[in-house]
Amino acid sequence: MKKKYCIANWKMNQSVEDCENYAFKLKSSFCKTSSEMIVCPSFIHLSKIKDLFGDLEIQIGAQTISEHLNGAYTGEISVEMLNDFNINWTIVGHSERRQFFNETNQDIQNKLKIAVENKINPIVCIGETLLERQNSKTIEVLKEQIQTTFDSINCSNIKLIIAYEPVWAIGSGVTADLNTISETHEEIRNILSKIISNSEKVSILYGGSVNPDNCEKILNLKHVDGFLIGGASLDPEKFLNIYRKMN
Ligand code: 13P
């Protein structure tokens, strides 16, 4: 059985007060199950969230990392800095990083490489735009994203998660239909099996307008090993609700 994950991507949201309220709610109602929960707040809240969560069995991750180890890169955060705070997960290649910060597959490969070399477990995001799907380019795009990102990278010493997030389903309230998710996850697993050794251990998550009402049906699909959640993860009750339904 592959590990199942329920991951919150808070994006550029939540105040310190929100973080405190969130932790308070989780402390009173979170119960660890066989699934893993990971919360990815903004960089500036990582340390605060780590303190607030205390000994709750919830892992914490960053939303991106620098592709450089250190140096004159104003505004960037390195893997060594994450290691200093015992943060051992990071999202890599989220479509918002690709779209708004011009990250290319090559940039994402550089980030993956430095994460893996420094024992930070990556959550690698892939996904097609609406236009690409309409032009029947989905599989081609996903293959290119996976091939370039993982080219000559050895992932055998880390935990690796792939998050399939169709760009058109993110924050839109439009979830991909079950057939689309099922077929695409199966294709992703096929592609991974040709590119990554031990690919059967890789968890493939779905992301894009997941909420407490649609999560169960999606999770019942054969190749879905959990969720990467934006909007619904900002509300601790909704996020916990989804986590509980995973078990
Ligand atoms: P939503 O759940 O808000 O659609 O966001 C998905 C996402 O981008 C998670 O990384």
Side-chain angles (χ1 to χ4, degrees), residues 9 11 91 94-96 125 165 169-173 207-210 228-232:
N9 175 9
K11 309 190 180 184
I91 297 174
H94 192 280
S95 65
E96 286 149 16
C125 299
E165 300 204 304
I170 294 177
S172 62
S209 299
V210 173
L228 179 56
I229 307 170

mmCIF file with all atom_site columns, all heavy atoms in Angstrom, residues 9 11 91 94-96 125 165 169-173 207-210 228-232, ligand 1:
data_model
loop_
_atom_site.group_PDB
_atom_site.id
_atom_site.type_symbol
_atom_site.label_atom_id
_atom_site.label_alt_id
_atom_site.label_comp_id
_atom_site.label_asym_id
_atom_site.label_entity_id
_atom_site.label_seq_id
_atom_site.pdbx_PDB_ins_code
_atom_site.Cartn_x
_atom_site.Cartn_y
_atom_site.Cartn_z
_atom_site.occupancy
_atom_site.B_iso_or_equiv
_atom_site.pdbx_formal_charge
_atom_site.auth_seq_id
_atom_site.auth_comp_id
_atom_site.auth_asym_id
_atom_site.auth_atom_id
_atom_site.pdbx_PDB_model_num
ATOM   1   N N   . ASN A 1 9   ? -1.896  23.475 1.100   1.00 0.00 ? 9   ASN A N   1
ATOM   2   C CA  . ASN A 1 9   ? -1.057  24.533 0.524   1.00 0.00 ? 9   ASN A CA  1
ATOM   3   C C   . ASN A 1 9   ? -1.775  25.849 0.804   1.00 0.00 ? 9   ASN A C   1
ATOM   4   O O   . ASN A 1 9   ? -2.753  26.173 0.138   1.00 0.00 ? 9   ASN A O   1
ATOM   5   C CB  . ASN A 1 9   ? -0.900  24.301 -0.989  1.00 0.00 ? 9   ASN A CB  1
ATOM   6   C CG  . ASN A 1 9   ? -0.132  25.435 -1.658  1.00 0.00 ? 9   ASN A CG  1
ATOM   7   O OD1 . ASN A 1 9   ? 0.420   26.301 -0.979  1.00 0.00 ? 9   ASN A OD1 1
ATOM   8   N ND2 . ASN A 1 9   ? -0.101  25.426 -2.985  1.00 0.00 ? 9   ASN A ND2 1
ATOM   9   N N   . LYS A 1 11  ? -0.737  28.765 0.330   1.00 0.00 ? 11  LYS A N   1
ATOM   10  C CA  . LYS A 1 11  ? -0.378  29.838 -0.622  1.00 0.00 ? 11  LYS A CA  1
ATOM   11  C C   . LYS A 1 11  ? -0.069  31.116 0.169   1.00 0.00 ? 11  LYS A C   1
ATOM   12  O O   . LYS A 1 11  ? 0.475   31.019 1.278   1.00 0.00 ? 11  LYS A O   1
ATOM   13  C CB  . LYS A 1 11  ? -1.487  30.016 -1.657  1.00 0.00 ? 11  LYS A CB  1
ATOM   14  C CG  . LYS A 1 11  ? -1.862  28.667 -2.309  1.00 0.00 ? 11  LYS A CG  1
ATOM   15  C CD  . LYS A 1 11  ? -2.754  28.759 -3.489  1.00 0.00 ? 11  LYS A CD  1
ATOM   16  C CE  . LYS A 1 11  ? -3.031  27.352 -4.022  1.00 0.00 ? 11  LYS A CE  1
ATOM   17  N NZ  . LYS A 1 11  ? -3.825  27.350 -5.239  1.00 0.00 ? 11  LYS A NZ  1
ATOM   18  N N   . ILE A 1 91  ? 7.025   21.917 -1.536  1.00 0.00 ? 91  ILE A N   1
ATOM   19  C CA  . ILE A 1 91  ? 6.347   21.835 -2.834  1.00 0.00 ? 91  ILE A CA  1
ATOM   20  C C   . ILE A 1 91  ? 7.341   22.343 -3.883  1.00 0.00 ? 91  ILE A C   1
ATOM   21  O O   . ILE A 1 91  ? 8.116   23.261 -3.617  1.00 0.00 ? 91  ILE A O   1
ATOM   22  C CB  . ILE A 1 91  ? 5.076   22.722 -2.836  1.00 0.00 ? 91  ILE A CB  1
ATOM   23  C CG1 . ILE A 1 91  ? 4.079   22.214 -1.783  1.00 0.00 ? 91  ILE A CG1 1
ATOM   24  C CG2 . ILE A 1 91  ? 4.443   22.770 -4.218  1.00 0.00 ? 91  ILE A CG2 1
ATOM   25  C CD1 . ILE A 1 91  ? 2.850   23.119 -1.602  1.00 0.00 ? 91  ILE A CD1 1
ATOM   26  N N   . HIS A 1 94  ? 4.821   24.243 -8.411  1.00 0.00 ? 94  HIS A N   1
ATOM   27  C CA  . HIS A 1 94  ? 3.378   24.534 -8.419  1.00 0.00 ? 94  HIS A CA  1
ATOM   28  C C   . HIS A 1 94  ? 3.049   25.382 -9.656  1.00 0.00 ? 94  HIS A C   1
ATOM   29  O O   . HIS A 1 94  ? 3.849   26.225 -10.072 1.00 0.00 ? 94  HIS A O   1
ATOM   30  C CB  . HIS A 1 94  ? 2.982   25.283 -7.140  1.00 0.00 ? 94  HIS A CB  1
ATOM   31  C CG  . HIS A 1 94  ? 1.496   25.352 -6.976  1.00 0.00 ? 94  HIS A CG  1
ATOM   32  N ND1 . HIS A 1 94  ? 0.725   26.271 -7.649  1.00 0.00 ? 94  HIS A ND1 1
ATOM   33  C CD2 . HIS A 1 94  ? 0.641   24.587 -6.257  1.00 0.00 ? 94  HIS A CD2 1
ATOM   34  C CE1 . HIS A 1 94  ? -0.548  26.064 -7.325  1.00 0.00 ? 94  HIS A CE1 1
ATOM   35  N NE2 . HIS A 1 94  ? -0.625  25.054 -6.487  1.00 0.00 ? 94  HIS A NE2 1
ATOM   36  N N   . SER A 1 95  ? 1.874   25.172 -10.218 1.00 0.00 ? 95  SER A N   1
ATOM   37  C CA  . SER A 1 95  ? 1.545   25.871 -11.476 1.00 0.00 ? 95  SER A CA  1
ATOM   38  C C   . SER A 1 95  ? 1.549   27.391 -11.296 1.00 0.00 ? 95  SER A C   1
ATOM   39  O O   . SER A 1 95  ? 1.797   28.131 -12.250 1.00 0.00 ? 95  SER A O   1
ATOM   40  C CB  . SER A 1 95  ? 0.208   25.407 -12.026 1.00 0.00 ? 95  SER A CB  1
ATOM   41  O OG  . SER A 1 95  ? -0.816  25.780 -11.149 1.00 0.00 ? 95  SER A OG  1
ATOM   42  N N   . GLU A 1 96  ? 1.282   27.864 -10.054 1.00 0.00 ? 96  GLU A N   1
ATOM   43  C CA  . GLU A 1 96  ? 1.330   29.322 -9.842  1.00 0.00 ? 96  GLU A CA  1
ATOM   44  C C   . GLU A 1 96  ? 2.767   29.830 -9.918  1.00 0.00 ? 96  GLU A C   1
ATOM   45  O O   . GLU A 1 96  ? 3.007   30.964 -10.332 1.00 0.00 ? 96  GLU A O   1
ATOM   46  C CB  . GLU A 1 96  ? 0.660   29.680 -8.501  1.00 0.00 ? 96  GLU A CB  1
ATOM   47  C CG  . GLU A 1 96  ? -0.854  29.547 -8.616  1.00 0.00 ? 96  GLU A CG  1
ATOM   48  C CD  . GLU A 1 96  ? -1.565  29.139 -7.332  1.00 0.00 ? 96  GLU A CD  1
ATOM   49  O OE1 . GLU A 1 96  ? -0.966  29.238 -6.253  1.00 0.00 ? 96  GLU A OE1 1
ATOM   50  O OE2 . GLU A 1 96  ? -2.724  28.701 -7.436  1.00 0.00 ? 96  GLU A OE2 1
ATOM   51  N N   . CYS A 1 125 ? 4.677   19.224 -8.413  1.00 0.00 ? 125 CYS A N   1
ATOM   52  C CA  . CYS A 1 125 ? 3.376   19.483 -9.049  1.00 0.00 ? 125 CYS A CA  1
ATOM   53  C C   . CYS A 1 125 ? 3.493   19.453 -10.565 1.00 0.00 ? 125 CYS A C   1
ATOM   54  O O   . CYS A 1 125 ? 4.434   20.013 -11.139 1.00 0.00 ? 125 CYS A O   1
ATOM   55  C CB  . CYS A 1 125 ? 2.853   20.858 -8.648  1.00 0.00 ? 125 CYS A CB  1
ATOM   56  S SG  . CYS A 1 125 ? 2.591   21.040 -6.897  1.00 0.00 ? 125 CYS A SG  1
ATOM   57  N N   . GLU A 1 165 ? -2.217  18.478 -10.641 1.00 0.00 ? 165 GLU A N   1
ATOM   58  C CA  . GLU A 1 165 ? -3.142  19.590 -10.460 1.00 0.00 ? 165 GLU A CA  1
ATOM   59  C C   . GLU A 1 165 ? -3.441  20.218 -11.826 1.00 0.00 ? 165 GLU A C   1
ATOM   60  O O   . GLU A 1 165 ? -2.647  21.021 -12.317 1.00 0.00 ? 165 GLU A O   1
ATOM   61  C CB  . GLU A 1 165 ? -2.528  20.654 -9.545  1.00 0.00 ? 165 GLU A CB  1
ATOM   62  C CG  . GLU A 1 165 ? -2.182  20.165 -8.162  1.00 0.00 ? 165 GLU A CG  1
ATOM   63  C CD  . GLU A 1 165 ? -2.128  21.290 -7.135  1.00 0.00 ? 165 GLU A CD  1
ATOM   64  O OE1 . GLU A 1 165 ? -1.372  22.259 -7.343  1.00 0.00 ? 165 GLU A OE1 1
ATOM   65  O OE2 . GLU A 1 165 ? -2.858  21.208 -6.143  1.00 0.00 ? 165 GLU A OE2 1
ATOM   66  N N   . ALA A 1 169 ? -8.444  23.527 -12.904 1.00 0.00 ? 169 ALA A N   1
ATOM   67  C CA  . ALA A 1 169 ? -9.272  23.112 -11.752 1.00 0.00 ? 169 ALA A CA  1
ATOM   68  C C   . ALA A 1 169 ? -8.830  23.804 -10.468 1.00 0.00 ? 169 ALA A C   1
ATOM   69  O O   . ALA A 1 169 ? -9.488  23.669 -9.436  1.00 0.00 ? 169 ALA A O   1
ATOM   70  C CB  . ALA A 1 169 ? -9.184  21.593 -11.584 1.00 0.00 ? 169 ALA A CB  1
ATOM   71  N N   . ILE A 1 170 ? -7.717  24.539 -10.525 1.00 0.00 ? 170 ILE A N   1
ATOM   72  C CA  . ILE A 1 170 ? -7.181  25.155 -9.307  1.00 0.00 ? 170 ILE A CA  1
ATOM   73  C C   . ILE A 1 170 ? -7.947  26.426 -8.974  1.00 0.00 ? 170 ILE A C   1
ATOM   74  O O   . ILE A 1 170 ? -8.015  27.354 -9.793  1.00 0.00 ? 170 ILE A O   1
ATOM   75  C CB  . ILE A 1 170 ? -5.677  25.477 -9.472  1.00 0.00 ? 170 ILE A CB  1
ATOM   76  C CG1 . ILE A 1 170 ? -4.887  24.175 -9.600  1.00 0.00 ? 170 ILE A CG1 1
ATOM   77  C CG2 . ILE A 1 170 ? -5.164  26.308 -8.300  1.00 0.00 ? 170 ILE A CG2 1
ATOM   78  C CD1 . ILE A 1 170 ? -3.408  24.358 -9.828  1.00 0.00 ? 170 ILE A CD1 1
ATOM   79  N N   . GLY A 1 171 ? -8.538  26.446 -7.791  1.00 0.00 ? 171 GLY A N   1
ATOM   80  C CA  . GLY A 1 171 ? -9.216  27.650 -7.305  1.00 0.00 ? 171 GLY A CA  1
ATOM   81  C C   . GLY A 1 171 ? -10.435 28.042 -8.124  1.00 0.00 ? 171 GLY A C   1
ATOM   82  O O   . GLY A 1 171 ? -10.992 29.116 -7.938  1.00 0.00 ? 171 GLY A O   1
ATOM   83  N N   . SER A 1 172 ? -10.861 27.170 -9.043  1.00 0.00 ? 172 SER A N   1
ATOM   84  C CA  . SER A 1 172 ? -11.943 27.534 -9.960  1.00 0.00 ? 172 SER A CA  1
ATOM   85  C C   . SER A 1 172 ? -13.290 26.999 -9.485  1.00 0.00 ? 172 SER A C   1
ATOM   86  O O   . SER A 1 172 ? -14.333 27.390 -10.005 1.00 0.00 ? 172 SER A O   1
ATOM   87  C CB  . SER A 1 172 ? -11.655 26.947 -11.349 1.00 0.00 ? 172 SER A CB  1
ATOM   88  O OG  . SER A 1 172 ? -11.607 25.535 -11.251 1.00 0.00 ? 172 SER A OG  1
ATOM   89  N N   . GLY A 1 173 ? -13.267 26.087 -8.516  1.00 0.00 ? 173 GLY A N   1
ATOM   90  C CA  . GLY A 1 173 ? -14.509 25.433 -8.103  1.00 0.00 ? 173 GLY A CA  1
ATOM   91  C C   . GLY A 1 173 ? -14.895 24.325 -9.072  1.00 0.00 ? 173 GLY A C   1
ATOM   92  O O   . GLY A 1 173 ? -15.847 23.594 -8.841  1.00 0.00 ? 173 GLY A O   1
ATOM   93  N N   . GLY A 1 207 ? -5.013  17.461 -6.989  1.00 0.00 ? 207 GLY A N   1
ATOM   94  C CA  . GLY A 1 207 ? -5.292  18.798 -6.455  1.00 0.00 ? 207 GLY A CA  1
ATOM   95  C C   . GLY A 1 207 ? -6.093  19.604 -7.450  1.00 0.00 ? 207 GLY A C   1
ATOM   96  O O   . GLY A 1 207 ? -5.890  19.495 -8.674  1.00 0.00 ? 207 GLY A O   1
ATOM   97  N N   . GLY A 1 208 ? -7.008  20.407 -6.948  1.00 0.00 ? 208 GLY A N   1
ATOM   98  C CA  . GLY A 1 208 ? -7.845  21.252 -7.819  1.00 0.00 ? 208 GLY A CA  1
ATOM   99  C C   . GLY A 1 208 ? -9.266  21.230 -7.320  1.00 0.00 ? 208 GLY A C   1
ATOM   100 O O   . GLY A 1 208 ? -10.022 20.299 -7.610  1.00 0.00 ? 208 GLY A O   1
ATOM   101 N N   . SER A 1 209 ? -9.621  22.249 -6.494  1.00 0.00 ? 209 SER A N   1
ATOM   102 C CA  . SER A 1 209 ? -10.987 22.397 -5.990  1.00 0.00 ? 209 SER A CA  1
ATOM   103 C C   . SER A 1 209 ? -11.493 21.178 -5.211  1.00 0.00 ? 209 SER A C   1
ATOM   104 O O   . SER A 1 209 ? -12.665 20.823 -5.286  1.00 0.00 ? 209 SER A O   1
ATOM   105 C CB  . SER A 1 209 ? -11.946 22.748 -7.143  1.00 0.00 ? 209 SER A CB  1
ATOM   106 O OG  . SER A 1 209 ? -11.566 23.973 -7.726  1.00 0.00 ? 209 SER A OG  1
ATOM   107 N N   . VAL A 1 210 ? -10.592 20.549 -4.464  1.00 0.00 ? 210 VAL A N   1
ATOM   108 C CA  . VAL A 1 210 ? -11.016 19.444 -3.590  1.00 0.00 ? 210 VAL A CA  1
ATOM   109 C C   . VAL A 1 210 ? -11.732 20.044 -2.376  1.00 0.00 ? 210 VAL A C   1
ATOM   110 O O   . VAL A 1 210 ? -11.308 21.064 -1.831  1.00 0.00 ? 210 VAL A O   1
ATOM   111 C CB  . VAL A 1 210 ? -9.791  18.625 -3.110  1.00 0.00 ? 210 VAL A CB  1
ATOM   112 C CG1 . VAL A 1 210 ? -10.203 17.579 -2.075  1.00 0.00 ? 210 VAL A CG1 1
ATOM   113 C CG2 . VAL A 1 210 ? -9.104  17.966 -4.298  1.00 0.00 ? 210 VAL A CG2 1
ATOM   114 N N   . LEU A 1 228 ? -3.693  17.447 -2.583  1.00 0.00 ? 228 LEU A N   1
ATOM   115 C CA  . LEU A 1 228 ? -3.018  18.717 -2.312  1.00 0.00 ? 228 LEU A CA  1
ATOM   116 C C   . LEU A 1 228 ? -4.118  19.778 -2.405  1.00 0.00 ? 228 LEU A C   1
ATOM   117 O O   . LEU A 1 228 ? -4.741  19.939 -3.458  1.00 0.00 ? 228 LEU A O   1
ATOM   118 C CB  . LEU A 1 228 ? -1.908  18.970 -3.339  1.00 0.00 ? 228 LEU A CB  1
ATOM   119 C CG  . LEU A 1 228 ? -1.123  20.277 -3.195  1.00 0.00 ? 228 LEU A CG  1
ATOM   120 C CD1 . LEU A 1 228 ? -0.498  20.421 -1.818  1.00 0.00 ? 228 LEU A CD1 1
ATOM   121 C CD2 . LEU A 1 228 ? -0.021  20.358 -4.255  1.00 0.00 ? 228 LEU A CD2 1
ATOM   122 N N   . ILE A 1 229 ? -4.348  20.465 -1.290  1.00 0.00 ? 229 ILE A N   1
ATOM   123 C CA  . ILE A 1 229 ? -5.565  21.286 -1.187  1.00 0.00 ? 229 ILE A CA  1
ATOM   124 C C   . ILE A 1 229 ? -5.220  22.739 -0.915  1.00 0.00 ? 229 ILE A C   1
ATOM   125 O O   . ILE A 1 229 ? -4.435  23.044 -0.006  1.00 0.00 ? 229 ILE A O   1
ATOM   126 C CB  . ILE A 1 229 ? -6.466  20.746 -0.044  1.00 0.00 ? 229 ILE A CB  1
ATOM   127 C CG1 . ILE A 1 229 ? -6.703  19.247 -0.249  1.00 0.00 ? 229 ILE A CG1 1
ATOM   128 C CG2 . ILE A 1 229 ? -7.782  21.504 0.003   1.00 0.00 ? 229 ILE A CG2 1
ATOM   129 C CD1 . ILE A 1 229 ? -7.364  18.571 0.948   1.00 0.00 ? 229 ILE A CD1 1
ATOM   130 N N   . GLY A 1 230 ? -5.812  23.634 -1.692  1.00 0.00 ? 230 GLY A N   1
ATOM   131 C CA  . GLY A 1 230 ? -5.622  25.069 -1.478  1.00 0.00 ? 230 GLY A CA  1
ATOM   132 C C   . GLY A 1 230 ? -6.739  25.628 -0.628  1.00 0.00 ? 230 GLY A C   1
ATOM   133 O O   . GLY A 1 230 ? -6.726  25.547 0.601   1.00 0.00 ? 230 GLY A O   1
ATOM   134 N N   . GLY A 1 231 ? -7.760  26.190 -1.277  1.00 0.00 ? 231 GLY A N   1
ATOM   135 C CA  . GLY A 1 231 ? -8.851  26.906 -0.611  1.00 0.00 ? 231 GLY A CA  1
ATOM   136 C C   . GLY A 1 231 ? -9.429  26.195 0.609   1.00 0.00 ? 231 GLY A C   1
ATOM   137 O O   . GLY A 1 231 ? -9.507  26.784 1.696   1.00 0.00 ? 231 GLY A O   1
ATOM   138 N N   . ALA A 1 232 ? -9.814  24.937 0.445   1.00 0.00 ? 232 ALA A N   1
ATOM   139 C CA  . ALA A 1 232 ? -10.487 24.230 1.553   1.00 0.00 ? 232 ALA A CA  1
ATOM   140 C C   . ALA A 1 232 ? -9.538  23.967 2.721   1.00 0.00 ? 232 ALA A C   1
ATOM   141 O O   . ALA A 1 232 ? -9.992  23.692 3.832   1.00 0.00 ? 232 ALA A O   1
ATOM   142 C CB  . ALA A 1 232 ? -11.091 22.916 1.054   1.00 0.00 ? 232 ALA A CB  1
HETATM 143 P P1  . 13P B 2 .   ? -7.610  24.757 -4.677  1.00 0.00 ? 1   13P B P1  1
HETATM 144 O O1  . 13P B 2 .   ? -7.834  23.603 -3.753  1.00 0.00 ? 1   13P B O1  1
HETATM 145 O O2  . 13P B 2 .   ? -7.926  26.091 -4.061  1.00 0.00 ? 1   13P B O2  1
HETATM 146 O O3  . 13P B 2 .   ? -8.238  24.549 -6.010  1.00 0.00 ? 1   13P B O3  1
HETATM 147 O O4  . 13P B 2 .   ? -6.014  24.843 -4.934  1.00 0.00 ? 1   13P B O4  1
HETATM 148 C C1  . 13P B 2 .   ? -5.358  23.694 -5.343  1.00 0.00 ? 1   13P B C1  1
HETATM 149 C C2  . 13P B 2 .   ? -3.908  23.964 -5.264  1.00 0.00 ? 1   13P B C2  1
HETATM 150 O O5  . 13P B 2 .   ? -3.386  24.747 -6.030  1.00 0.00 ? 1   13P B O5  1
HETATM 151 C C3  . 13P B 2 .   ? -3.143  23.301 -4.209  1.00 0.00 ? 1   13P B C3  1
HETATM 152 O O6  . 13P B 2 .   ? -1.786  23.407 -4.454  1.00 0.00 ? 1   13P B O6  1
#
